[in-house]
Amino acid sequence: MKIGLVGYPGSGKSTVFGALTGLDVATGYGAGKANLGAVKVPAARVDALSKLYEPKKTTYAEITFSDLGAGKAEGLDRAALVAMRNVDALCQVLRAFPDAAGDAGDPLGELTGLETETLLADLELVEQRVAKLAKDRSNPRELALLERIKEALESEQAVRSQGLSEEEQKLLAGYALLTAKPLLLVLNVAEGDVAAPAPEALARAAAERGLGLIVLSARVEMDIAQLDASEQGEFLASIGLSEPAVHRFIRAAFALIDLISMLTSGPDECRARRARSTATSSAASSAPR
């Protein structure tokens, strides 16, 4: 399963990707192409089983993150929107730290900006398909569903908020609609704000949309990743954290795509396997900060 990191230029998206994956990637506007990195999902139960059985091998579940192209300075270009269609879920990185000019960022504006762009992109695609189906009337069920989706998009309602049945989701799967994809918000804050709550307006907007929200500082997470394991605990305590924020992020992203870990254990291997959860993917919205 692939999760795409997306964000406007300057949001720190590629720095977040580097902190997640440990990969050294180019950052900054125009940094270039999408990068891929597989990440192990932290799991205390796997750690406990490994300690108990002392197996020859311990295998954690993995998810793949894609650092999608940033697009143009004023928004996402068509290439970025197309790349977003090729992932299973999205994580939008929102800037909440000052840039070189002292601008502290507008995370709520970035959220609504991407929302508008994805709604319009989906609406364009759906309108084209509706026009084609309306001519030949070859698939009345699909036409009726798309007309309903078109009306919702015109009312600025994301497809993911429509409460579609499993059958309806299957009918729409081939369209890879952007606003149908699960979305997790990642608030990238300044180093001194890592233990602070998300701004109330942003938290409320996320809750209203049923979106998950994680707060982290990509710069701090990169510093943590470079420390020895023996030094990490003391550093985390000094900034008011109990664990690296990237661990919470990875777990929330794992929940976002409606997956759980099935565990097997024994002397040869302790292993976490990905499995589809019976809960809805909206469970990610209740993931802890």
Side-chain angles (χ1 to χ4, degrees):
M1 301 293 282
K2 187 186 297 183
I3 297 180
L5 289 180
V6 63
Y8 290 118
S11 64
K13 172 180 60 66
S14 293
T15 305
V16 169
F17 176 83
L20 279 171
T21 62
L23 298 176
D24 185 15
V25 297
T27 61
Y29 175 58
K33 317 177 208 178
N35 300 292
L36 288 176
V39 176
K40 291 180 172 59
V41 180
R45 292 183 301 165
V46 176
D47 295 335
L49 287 172
S50 183
K51 185 176 180 180
L52 176 65
Y53 285 95
E54 297 184 349
K56 298 174 183 175
K57 183 180 180 183
T58 299
T59 305
Y60 294 85
E62 290 187 347
I63 51 179
T64 298
F65 286 98
S66 177
D67 173 24
L68 303 179
K72 51 193 177 184
E74 65 273 19
L76 300 179
D77 57 20
R78 185 165 291 274
L81 292 169
V82 169
M84 290 167 63
R85 295 198 188 279
N86 295 323
V87 297
D88 301 295
L90 296 167
C91 289
Q92 183 183 5
V93 179
L94 307 168
R95 181 170 71 86
F97 59 88
D99 61 13
D103 179 359
D106 179 16
L108 183 56
E110 291 184 2
L111 168 60
T112 57
L114 182 69
E115 186 175 60
T116 297
E117 292 190 70
T118 53
L119 284 167
L120 290 173
D122 281 353
L123 181 57
E124 179 184 1
L125 189 155
V126 169
E127 284 178 334
Q128 291 173 354
R129 182 60 177 167
V130 165
K132 182 176 180 180
L133 289 174
K135 286 181 180 178
D136 58 32
R137 296 284 174 176
S138 60
N139 195 332
R141 288 176 56 221
E142 184 178 352
L143 176 60
L145 175 59
L146 287 176
E147 286 178 332
R148 199 175 97 215
I149 294 299
K150 176 176 174 290
E151 184 177 343
L153 292 170
E154 289 173 337
S155 300
E156 300 182 357
Q157 298 176 30
V159 176
R160 74 177 71 87
S161 69
Q162 298 308 301
L164 301 178
S165 67
E166 186 175 343
E167 182 182 1
E168 289 172 330
Q169 291 178 44
K170 287 180 180 177
L171 276 174
L172 292 176
Y175 295 107
L177 296 174
L178 299 174
T179 65
K181 295 181 183 297
L183 174 63
L184 174 67
L185 304 178
V186 181
L187 188 66
N188 189 11
V189 301
E191 288 89 337
D193 296 328
V194 291
E200 183 179 345
L202 180 65
R204 184 170 57 251
E208 289 171 350
R209 292 162 171 79
L211 306 179
L213 175 60
I214 297 291
V215 179
L216 59 76
S217 169
R219 291 292 179 188
V220 169
E221 294 304 314
M222 290 189 76
D223 291 342
I224 292 172
Q226 292 171 6
L227 294 173
D228 291 332
S230 59
E231 300 175 313
Q232 286 188 4
E234 183 178 348
F235 180 76
L236 287 165
S238 73
I239 58 176
L241 297 178
S242 59
E243 65 174 341
V246 294
H247 288 186
R248 290 185 281 113
F249 180 19
I250 293 168
R251 287 197 296 268
F254 195 67
L256 184 71
I257 49 180
D258 202 16
L259 295 176
I260 58 174
S261 291
M262 300 293 291
L263 307 181
T264 58
S265 57
D268 291 326
E269 182 182 23
C270 284
R271 183 182 183 89
R273 304 175 188 273
R274 296 184 311 186
R276 183 66 62 180
S277 170
T278 55
T280 63
S281 60
S282 62
S285 64
S286 60
R289 265 197 68 250

